Amino acid sequence: MREGLYTRELFAEAAKEAFDQCPNLNPKRDAQALFVGMMSDSYEHQAHVAPLFLDWIGLTPKPAFRTEGACASSSVALRSAIFAIASGMYDVVLVGGVEKMTHVSTTGVTEILAMASDFPFEQWHGISFPGIFGMMAVDHMHRYGTTEEQLAKVAVKNHEHGILNPKAHFQKLITIDDVLTSRPVAWPLKLYDCCPRSDGASCIVLTSPEVARNFTDTPVNIIGTGHAQDTLSLFDREVFSTMKVAKIASEQAYKQAGVGPGDIDVAELHDCFTIAEIMAYEDLGFCDKGKGGKLIDDGVTHLGGKLPTNTSGGLKAKGHPVGATGTAQACEIYLQLTNQAGRRQVAGAEVGLTENLGGSASTGIVHVYERGD
Amino acid sequence: MREGLYTRELFAEAAKEAFDQCPNLNPKRDAQALFVGMMSDSYEHQAHVAPLFLDWIGLTPKPAFRTEGACASSSVALRSAIFAIASGMYDVVLVGGVEKMTHVSTTGVTEILAMASDFPFEQWHGISFPGIFGMMAVDHMHRYGTTEEQLAKVAVKNHEHGILNPKAHFQKLITIDDVLTSRPVAWPLKLYDCCPRSDGASCIVLTSPEVARNFTDTPVNIIGTGHAQDTLSLFDREVFSTMKVAKIASEQAYKQAGVGPGDIDVAELHDCFTIAEIMAYEDLGFCDKGKGGKLIDDGVTHLGGKLPTNTSGGLKAKGHPVGATGTAQACEIYLQLTNQAGRRQVAGAEVGLTENLGGSASTGIVHVYERGD
């Protein structure tokens, strides 16, 4: 959190850091376009942010694109940028996301986030996202015997990872008991099952494979992209405890990448609520359906386990400035695959994955990455 | 205006009409993705509209992308869709835009639209878009001798065209005197120099050139696309009366299309205020700088003139549901180039152009189209 800053300033700081990863890149000369994800113009009474941010990073009059897909806004930007580069239109673009939320009251933030659910069928009746994910958790507990302790373990793990990330919002260990005794928000979800509201921005430089080595010695290749949608509202779904979008998007991304879930060395998953990480384990194929609770019990997804997830701290501890989250996940995988993740480095990580959700898993976007050297 | 409808319903209606233009297309089987532009989630307290609209047109779980570029939102969607198709990722996609504004009060709409200008440097001081374009008009009058009568003629022409378009918001002729004596909004702009607030949606089916003829006998090819940005605020610009984005974007689009301004048979221009159409004439190269007033005096841009502009009625008479405007311009050019424009048909039109602005010409997007047979 940076008091008194505007989103444009947060964004410019992230852009500079991304450009700094490419020592031979001159942004004014080389960057050809900007793709930026942001969820809502309501936080700062500011729409039309594409030309605004572009100007604040000195790239006017180049073309700039803003995308919105709720909490997956910058993953939508990333996919749009991939298409733009694959089309041959551009060779070098900046992709990022931003959201500034903490200057708005808690109820104000809840109301703005609720815009990502259906107005007449959900919002109007007073349900907000903790309630929506609470219903998913209840369904998961009922069908598969998942426990509140297992949900709590996701939060505990991600706080353990977060203290290893200097940029994480929370720099604090918590215990299972802390989670279980924290204030109920939407049963079975307690306060510490929920990600915080955060301010933040993230950016990556995306290039065609041909020119990447002109700008850096440590490129990372995006080798698979997948994207699916589900109904905006839960009432329209057969089950609440399976995220169809994560299944479909990961199948697309694995197929394009020529890898399977067993090939992933490190993953950033969309843990907006602890249940979402449990479901992601299953829907991405890291374990069988219903066995997500066991996966966290077994320590598989802790640093040091076979498949560390959310080494950044995840949305839970790193924070969830919603528009920034998608490319922030990509940043973490980039750092991991280029051996720059410091105290949270996964040794020898070669293949990484990001899974980013929008709303009640109405949008799901998965990318697979491979170190480029 | 359709009382009581939600944006999803407006959008679905436009989608159906677009699909109906392709008799051999089965949307569920053939359409692979949706790209939709919408300016603000504030009108209906509804963000995350990509999966929502997708679901209402029966295309879940295919990928859906929402773009925002103020009044150019659906032109940003169109460019993103062009890249997606040119990349080889998709062959058939739906591109559209929507905005529903009339259920919100006039001051509410003004405040939401103002979000497309800079919050600390413009909005905060109370300026809204009529004031911004009023300053542009003053600069143009001062530099080039443009008159209030010439501005008024743009409105009169576009109302004349609008009564020939059954879908135009206004179905009413107005006189120069009506414009000149209408209530001042931001001098020299009077009420009839300003486009109305409107509800509406528009969609087109976009395909790769290779498959277009599988679905229709009357394809139209997009042969040039251009896109540029300027500062969000006027205070940062050297002159107010030239729209750099229109100059740069049109140069890009002409070059890619291999045509010049003299080759355009019909154009849809962004006449949010009458001065914007006058400046567009000049900045797109239809006449020399400063001669836009003379072009309207000479009747060149009327139906029957050498270069009819805004045959749809333009934003002034057809209406300006902001997110819908970009693809609505494309729809009008499609109808003109396929000889479906009815009483406003430009005989023998072969090459068309659209120019769509966001904000105070902070975003400018130009497309050039050619009939496909």
Side-chain angles (χ1 to χ4, degrees):
Chain A
M1 278 182 285
R2 302 282 298 276
E3 293 291 337
L5 289 183
Y6 280 96
T7 52
R8 60 191 73 180
E9 295 166 285
L10 293 173
F11 188 82
E13 204 173 315
K16 180 175 186 314
E17 205 167 307
F19 286 134
D20 284 349
Q21 283 281 334
C22 304
N24 305 323
L25 184 143
N26 176 329
K28 260 192 201 301
R29 181 193 63 199
D30 302 319
Q32 295 165 291
L34 167 67
F35 293 80
V36 58
M38 191 177 88
M39 185 197 153
S40 185
D41 47 30
S42 296
Y43 289 114
E44 214 177 47
H45 212 268
Q46 185 67 68
H48 211 193
V49 294
L52 174 63
F53 298 160
L54 185 87
D55 194 32
W56 278 68
I57 61 174
L59 296 186
T60 305
K62 303 181 186 207
F65 302 74
R66 176 198 165 196
T67 54
E68 183 269 321
C71 304
S73 292
S74 56
S75 287
V76 178
L78 178 53
R79 275 176 61 82
S80 303
I82 289 171
F83 297 159
I85 285 187
S87 76
M89 192 74 172
Y90 307 121
D91 279 314
V92 181
V93 304
L94 186 74
V95 191
V98 66
E99 211 89 50
K100 188 170 182 306
M101 310 164 75
T102 63
H103 62 290
V104 175
S105 69
T106 312
T107 46
V109 169
T110 300
E111 186 175 342
I112 293 171
L113 288 174
M115 287 187 186
S117 70
D118 193 293
F119 180 74
F121 293 116
E122 291 185 329
Q123 295 178 48
W124 187 255
H125 306 280
I127 196 163
S128 60
F129 280 105
I132 288 170
F133 278 85
M135 290 197 287
M136 294 175 170
V138 168
D139 188 32
H140 205 275
M141 292 164 79
H142 175 70
R143 283 175 196 268
Y144 307 117
T146 305
T147 65
E148 290 179 76
E149 287 75 12
Q150 288 170 330
L151 297 179
K153 283 182 184 176
V154 172
V156 170
K157 166 182 76 71
N158 290 348
H159 276 253
E160 282 172 11
H161 293 175
I163 61 166
L164 306 175
N165 178 4
K167 296 199 172 179
H169 186 158
F170 292 136
Q171 300 285 340
K172 182 186 165 188
L173 291 175
I174 57 172
T175 66
I176 291 177
D177 201 50
D178 287 336
V179 184
L180 294 176
T181 59
S182 64
R183 171 155 62 92
V185 175
W187 192 86
L189 303 178
K190 276 80 65 183
L191 184 65
Y192 283 7
D193 287 294
C194 309
C195 68
R197 63 199 169 109
S198 306
D199 299 339
S202 61
C203 285
I204 61 172
V205 174
L206 187 74
T207 76
S208 60
E210 294 73 25
V211 308
R213 288 194 174 277
N214 298 349
F215 304 117
T216 177
D217 295 330
T218 57
V220 164
N221 299 322
I222 298 180
I223 57 174
T225 178
H227 179 175
Q229 314 288 165
D230 203 346
T231 61
L232 207 61
S233 301
L234 284 193
F235 79 87
D236 248 347
R237 300 189 196 166
E238 290 167 30
V239 293
F240 292 178
S241 52
T242 293
M243 302 187 296
K244 266 194 204 166
V245 293
K247 280 180 75 79
I248 299 173
S250 63
E251 282 162 11
Q252 290 172 2
Y254 290 140
K255 187 177 172 195
Q256 194 175 42
V259 305
D263 297 310
I264 306 300
D265 297 318
V266 58
E268 288 286 301
L269 306 181
H270 193 92
D271 60 325
C272 49
F273 301 94
T274 50
I275 183 62
E277 182 165 331
I278 300 276
M279 291 192 294
Y281 295 159
E282 303 164 356
D283 299 329
L284 298 170
F286 296 161
C287 63
D288 290 339
K289 192 68 209 172
K291 301 292 185 193
K294 184 168 186 309
L295 204 74
I296 187 86
D297 279 343
D298 291 349
V300 173
T301 57
H302 282 66
L303 262 173
K306 187 176 163 296
L307 173 47
T309 63
N310 286 328
T311 53
S312 69
L315 282 57
K316 177 68 192 84
K318 182 201 62 202
H320 182 30
V322 295
T325 288
T327 39
Q329 293 178 323
C331 286
E332 177 68 9
I333 296 299
Y334 172 83
L335 293 176
Q336 288 286 357
L337 300 186
T338 56
N339 206 27
Q340 298 183 69
R343 291 195 298 151
R344 64 190 191 281
Q345 180 65 45
V346 176
E350 300 210 339
V351 179
L353 175 145
T354 55
E355 175 246 3
N356 189 196
L357 299 178
S360 56
S362 310
T363 295
I365 297 183
V366 172
H367 285 99
V368 178
Y369 310 74
E370 178 181 65
R371 62 186 297 160
D373 51 359
Chain B
M1 277 182 284
R2 302 283 298 274
E3 292 291 337
L5 289 183
Y6 280 96
T7 53
R8 62 192 72 179
E9 296 166 285
L10 292 174
F11 187 82
E13 203 173 318
K16 180 174 185 316
E17 205 168 307
F19 286 134
D20 285 349
Q21 282 281 334
C22 305
N24 305 323
L25 185 144
N26 176 329
K28 260 193 200 302
R29 181 193 63 199
D30 302 318
Q32 295 166 292
L34 167 66
F35 292 80
V36 57
M38 192 178 87
M39 184 198 154
S40 183
D41 47 29
S42 297
Y43 289 114
E44 213 177 47
H45 212 269
Q46 184 67 68
H48 210 193
V49 294
L52 175 63
F53 298 160
L54 186 84
D55 195 31
W56 278 67
I57 60 173
L59 295 186
T60 305
K62 304 181 185 206
F65 301 74
R66 176 199 163 194
T67 54
E68 183 269 320
C71 303
S73 291
S74 56
S75 288
V76 178
L78 177 54
R79 274 176 61 84
S80 303
I82 289 171
F83 297 159
I85 285 187
S87 76
M89 191 73 173
Y90 307 122
D91 278 315
V92 181
V93 304
L94 187 74
V95 190
V98 66
E99 211 88 49
K100 189 171 180 307
M101 309 165 76
T102 62
H103 62 291
V104 175
S105 69
T106 311
T107 48
V109 169
T110 300
E111 187 175 341
I112 293 171
L113 289 174
M115 287 187 186
S117 70
D118 193 293
F119 180 73
F121 293 116
E122 291 185 328
Q123 295 177 47
W124 186 254
H125 306 280
I127 197 162
S128 59
F129 280 105
I132 288 170
F133 278 85
M135 289 197 289
M136 294 174 170
V138 168
D139 189 30
H140 205 276
M141 292 164 78
H142 176 70
R143 283 174 197 267
Y144 307 116
T146 305
T147 64
E148 290 179 75
E149 286 74 14
Q150 288 170 329
L151 297 178
K153 284 181 184 177
V154 172
V156 170
K157 165 181 77 71
N158 290 347
H159 276 253
E160 283 173 9
H161 293 174
I163 60 166
L164 306 176
N165 179 2
K167 295 199 171 179
H169 186 158
F170 292 135
Q171 300 284 342
K172 182 187 164 187
L173 291 176
I174 57 172
T175 65
I176 292 177
D177 200 52
D178 287 337
V179 183
L180 293 176
T181 59
S182 63
R183 172 156 60 93
V185 175
W187 192 86
L189 303 179
K190 277 80 64 183
L191 184 64
Y192 283 6
D193 286 295
C194 309
C195 68
R197 63 198 168 110
S198 306
D199 300 339
S202 61
C203 285
I204 61 172
V205 174
L206 188 74
T207 75
S208 60
E210 294 73 26
V211 307
R213 288 195 174 275
N214 298 349
F215 304 117
T216 175
D217 295 329
T218 57
V220 163
N221 298 322
I222 298 180
I223 57 174
T225 177
H227 179 174
Q229 313 288 165
D230 203 346
T231 61
L232 208 60
S233 300
L234 283 194
F235 78 87
D236 249 348
R237 302 190 194 165
E238 292 168 31
V239 293
F240 292 177
S241 52
T242 293
M243 303 187 296
K244 266 195 203 165
V245 294
K247 279 180 74 80
I248 299 172
S250 63
E251 282 161 13
Q252 290 172 3
Y254 290 140
K255 188 177 171 196
Q256 193 175 42
V259 304
D263 298 309
I264 306 300
D265 298 317
V266 57
E268 288 286 302
L269 306 181
H270 194 92
D271 59 325
C272 49
F273 300 94
T274 49
I275 182 62
E277 182 165 332
I278 299 276
M279 291 193 295
Y281 294 159
E282 302 164 356
D283 298 330
L284 298 170
F286 296 161
C287 63
D288 290 340
K289 192 68 209 174
K291 301 293 184 193
K294 184 168 185 309
L295 205 72
I296 188 85
D297 279 342
D298 291 348
V300 173
T301 57
H302 282 67
L303 262 173
K306 188 176 162 298
L307 173 48
T309 64
N310 286 327
T311 53
S312 69
L315 283 58
K316 178 69 193 82
K318 182 200 62 205
H320 182 30
V322 294
T325 289
T327 38
Q329 293 178 324
C331 286
E332 176 69 8
I333 296 299
Y334 172 82
L335 293 176
Q336 288 287 357
L337 299 186
T338 56
N339 206 28
Q340 297 184 70
R343 291 194 298 151
R344 62 190 191 280
Q345 180 65 45
V346 175
E350 300 211 339
V351 179
L353 176 146
T354 56
E355 175 246 3
N356 189 196
L357 300 177
S360 56
S362 309
T363 295
I365 297 184
V366 172
H367 285 99
V368 179
Y369 311 72
E370 177 182 67
R371 62 187 295 160
D373 51 1

